[in-house]
Amino acid sequence: MPAKIIKEKSLSSLKALFVALLIGTQVLGIIVTQMLKSENYGFILFLLYIILVPMTILAAGFFLGRAAKNRLEYRRPDWEFEPIQFETSDLRKKGKEYLRKYRRLTPRSELWMWFLPVVLALSKVGFLYYSIVSDENIAEFLLIAASVLHPALLASSAYVGYHAMENEASGDFRLPLIREAIWLAEKQDSLPGFYNVRVVLDKAEHDGYEIYRSPRVFARVRYVEDDGYVESWSGELRVVERVHALLHSDKEDSVMWYWRSMDRQFRESEGHDSYGHYVKEPPFLRSKLGVKDVRTVLIAAEILLLREWIKREDGHEDAEELLCRLQKDI
């Protein structure tokens, strides 16, 4: 029987260590609280406590979480990918399910995860400072609150170390930028002429595990129907990086128009001509389009596809009406 590609090791020892550290940090907080109540401390000792102790706890929690994330062995198989289509609503659900299912294999970093330990550490310093300048009753409450923050610091930093860090399987199991692809699909679906807009990902399965690659948006154009389609790729921060429009892709007289962010102009290639040439009559006024010109780039691809299709069909009244509308909107 072949070995599994993922061998997850037990976390029992690390969990026991985590519980012991939680108890230890809480005991430390209680001891220091009693010491501060008695005012039997020097300024240097107090300064070390408010700086060195939180940093030590944060570091211990982070490395403990990171150690737990790395408690596995990964044997990389030969992944074989096949394209699969998703509607945007289904892909949102799939993304959440995937991250839950493979949380031990994938890194997930969000701003609040990094911000929370910092807030807790600063709160602890603030509680200790105000315990010195406040009256006795309030000071006692603030000291108790500061001691309770010790295990909270440990837990929050361990959470970051476990969820945000990578392990040897993360390179394959990292989920691609589906959020940006969903945004681009919804943007494209809102434009006139497009229909059957889907997000396409390359999916591979092995030994019960699945991974995804290369999210892009696939859309048909009205009246062109199955004769052509527009495919687009999103980048980070809601931009478009690449757009392809293909007509009769399965025939000898196929035509492809493509726009790339590095070039910023549409090229046209026919048949086996892979390099092509710049479009002689671009359907937009500006000489070049940038990554933020998402709407213009997508409509331009649609116009190029419609224009050539109408020409080959020797006219089409409804398609020509749509083409005129798009040319006015661009």
Side-chain angles (χ1 to χ4, degrees):
M1 182 177 179
K4 287 189 174 183
I5 63 172
I6 300 290
K7 181 181 179 182
E8 297 185 356
K9 300 179 181 179
S10 174
L11 299 178
S12 299
S13 59
L14 291 176
K15 288 179 179 178
L17 179 59
F18 177 69
V19 172
L21 287 174
L22 282 177
I23 297 172
T25 53
Q26 184 62 78
V27 170
L28 175 64
I30 294 172
I31 293 173
V32 174
T33 298
Q34 296 302 318
M35 184 182 69
L36 292 176
K37 282 182 181 180
S38 65
E39 298 184 356
N40 185 23
Y41 60 89
F43 177 74
I44 299 299
L45 183 62
F46 177 75
L47 196 62
L48 287 174
Y49 172 66
I50 65 172
I51 296 176
L52 189 60
V53 170
M55 291 180 62
T56 303
I57 293 174
L58 288 173
F62 180 82
F63 285 110
L64 189 63
R66 185 178 179 182
K69 190 66 170 282
N70 283 286
R71 292 281 292 170
L72 58 81
E73 294 178 359
Y74 175 52
R75 181 180 59 83
R76 192 178 191 278
D78 293 327
W79 296 105
E80 295 183 3
F81 291 90
E82 293 184 357
I84 182 171
Q85 294 187 8
F86 292 93
E87 292 188 6
T88 54
S89 57
D90 293 335
L91 186 55
R92 279 196 181 91
K93 295 177 183 177
K94 183 65 179 179
K96 293 177 181 178
E97 292 171 359
Y98 185 90
L99 290 175
R100 282 196 299 267
K101 182 179 180 180
Y102 297 119
R103 61 181 178 273
R104 196 166 173 180
L105 306 177
T106 59
R108 182 174 65 88
S109 181
E110 298 180 26
L111 182 60
W112 70 266
M113 293 167 51
W114 299 93
F115 196 57
L116 181 59
V118 176
V119 171
L120 292 175
L122 293 177
S123 298
K124 178 181 178 298
V125 173
F127 289 160
L128 291 174
Y129 171 76
Y130 283 107
S131 69
I132 298 174
V133 298
S134 301
D135 60 59
E136 185 176 345
N137 292 330
I138 297 177
E140 184 173 355
F141 171 77
L142 291 173
L143 288 173
I144 293 173
S147 68
V148 171
L149 287 179
H150 280 186
L153 282 170
L154 181 74
S156 63
S157 59
Y159 186 91
V160 173
Y162 183 81
H163 287 278
M165 293 296 101
E166 297 184 352
N167 54 37
E168 57 183 299
S170 298
D172 282 347
F173 284 86
R174 181 195 299 272
L175 197 63
L177 298 174
I178 62 171
R179 182 171 56 185
E180 285 73 13
I182 289 172
W183 168 82
L184 184 60
E186 291 175 341
K187 178 73 173 180
Q188 196 160 343
D189 197 30
S190 68
L191 299 176
F194 288 114
Y195 77 101
N196 195 27
V197 179
R198 298 288 187 271
V199 178
V200 180
L201 291 99
D202 294 331
K203 177 183 178 181
E205 291 186 86
H206 193 283
D207 201 17
Y209 295 91
E210 59 188 44
I211 62 173
Y212 295 90
R213 292 285 186 277
S214 305
R216 65 262 190 201
V217 179
F218 175 92
R220 296 287 184 186
V221 176
R222 297 199 182 279
Y223 311 115
V224 177
E225 307 292 343
D226 294 338
D227 288 340
Y229 61 88
V230 174
E231 203 167 18
S232 52
W233 286 257
S234 61
E236 296 184 18
L237 303 176
R238 298 192 171 186
V239 299
V240 61
E241 289 190 343
R242 190 161 35 121
V243 174
H244 291 175
L246 285 90
L247 181 64
H248 296 150
S249 58
D250 57 343
K251 297 181 180 180
E252 289 293 329
D253 60 347
S254 64
V255 184
M256 181 176 74
W257 299 267
Y258 57 94
W259 177 94
R260 294 171 185 172
S261 58
M262 297 295 292
D263 197 355
R264 301 174 63 190
Q265 299 184 67
F266 273 93
R267 284 184 173 273
E268 178 181 336
S269 64
E270 300 181 17
H272 300 292
D273 179 14
S274 59
Y275 186 71
H277 55 82
Y278 288 117
V279 173
K280 296 178 181 178
E281 297 180 14
F284 44 85
L285 297 177
R286 293 167 54 186
S287 60
K288 294 184 178 182
L289 299 174
V291 294
K292 287 290 187 179
D293 299 314
V294 180
R295 185 179 186 277
T296 305
V297 171
L298 292 173
I299 291 181
E302 192 176 11
I303 290 174
L304 290 169
L305 188 62
L306 270 171
R307 198 163 64 183
E308 181 65 22
W309 184 82
I310 292 171
K311 177 182 175 183
R312 295 189 179 195
E313 294 292 317
D314 294 325
H316 188 287
E317 185 176 347
D318 292 334
E320 289 174 0
E321 183 179 341
L322 174 60
L323 179 61
C324 290
R325 179 185 171 190
L326 293 172
Q327 289 173 333
K328 290 178 181 178
D329 288 345
I330 199 167

